[in-house]
Amino acid sequence: AGSHNASLYKCRVKNLSSRAGSVIGYDVHTDSQGIVLDECFNGELETKGDGSSSLTHVEACGLMFRNETTDNVVKNYCFQEPKAKNGIVVEKIFDGGVENRVQQEICLLDNWGND
């Protein structure tokens, strides 16, 4: 079961890594609707394994809208490209849902997301 009508504002995900699976900064689960991510950052995401995950074909991802998600929004975001071994699928944003909206990527400050 997914979440409905929730907002994440000024969130940071940083320094996530996995040796044996996927790494996903923000994961909007199946059946979620009306989720808003605003002014969110992610950086330094890395999968170090061989990419053998049964959950998804995307092994390193900044934001994942899973299947059957609807009407979710990410806006005013700043995501770094995730890192992975050669041949592993990497995406800043993966949208497996319907009518999800990805608005403008912006970085508010040169060091936004730094400690």
Side-chain angles (χ1 to χ4, degrees):
S3 300
H4 295 251
N5 304 317
S7 296
L8 296 172
Y9 181 65
K10 290 191 177 182
C11 296
R12 296 192 305 166
V13 174
K14 190 172 178 181
N15 297 325
L16 292 180
S17 67
S18 173
R19 294 199 182 281
S22 300
V23 61
I24 301 170
Y26 300 98
D27 195 352
V28 180
H29 287 266
T30 300
D31 297 327
S32 292
Q33 181 176 5
I35 308 299
V36 177
L37 286 82
D38 188 5
E39 291 188 26
C40 292
F41 166 87
N42 73 35
E44 300 176 32
L45 307 179
E46 181 176 14
T47 183
K48 299 176 181 179
D50 63 3
S52 58
S53 170
S54 61
L55 296 176
T56 175
H57 74 283
V58 178
E59 299 302 328
C61 188
L63 166 64
M64 179 172 286
F65 290 122
R66 299 228 179 230
N67 294 337
E68 300 177 27
T69 57
T70 307
D71 197 30
N72 301 293
V73 180
V74 59
K75 58 185 178 178
N76 304 318
Y77 65 97
C78 184
F79 291 177
Q80 293 177 351
E81 190 76 26
K83 297 177 185 174
K85 290 182 174 181
N86 289 335
I88 306 291
V89 179
V90 174
E91 295 186 28
K92 280 187 181 181
I93 297 175
F94 173 78
D95 188 356
V98 178
E99 296 183 16
N100 295 312
R101 295 181 307 283
V102 177
Q103 297 179 357
Q104 184 175 359
E105 180 174 25
I106 62 169
C107 290
L108 300 177
L109 300 172
D110 288 340
N111 63 349
W112 194 47
N114 291 335
D115 294 331

